Amino acid sequence: MVDTRTCNFCGEAIDPGTGKMFIRKDGAIFYFCSSKCQNNSRLGRVPRRVRWTQAGRKALGKE
């Protein structure tokens, strides 16, 4: 069975064959659904403080 992954920044589901996998030198694996999520993560932004992420919507009380 093909398993779907979730984006480490925004929390959305990533369809098989799409997205990017980033592996840090220490072996930590990160999955990103788009370059928007990858760039925000690289800039050091916290998903709770970004309004359009699932964690951000939860922090604002929208979900």
Side-chain angles (χ1 to χ4, degrees):
M1 204 64 179
V2 180
D3 52 329
T4 59
R5 307 205 185 273
T6 57
C7 179
N8 282 89
F9 191 77
C10 69
E12 289 186 15
I14 303 173
D15 294 328
T18 61
K20 288 185 180 182
M21 178 171 59
F22 175 71
I23 304 173
R24 250 186 346 206
K25 287 183 180 180
D26 63 354
I29 301 173
F30 297 97
Y31 297 100
F32 298 111
C33 62
S34 63
S35 60
K36 178 181 179 180
C37 292
Q38 187 179 12
N39 290 333
N40 277 303
S41 178
R42 188 176 343 139
L43 287 171
R45 295 198 172 129
V46 181
R48 288 185 312 263
R49 296 185 179 168
V50 182
R51 286 185 277 169
W52 52 268
T53 62
Q54 287 183 359
R57 291 183 58 79
K58 187 175 180 182
L60 289 171
K62 300 286 184 178
E63 288 184 5

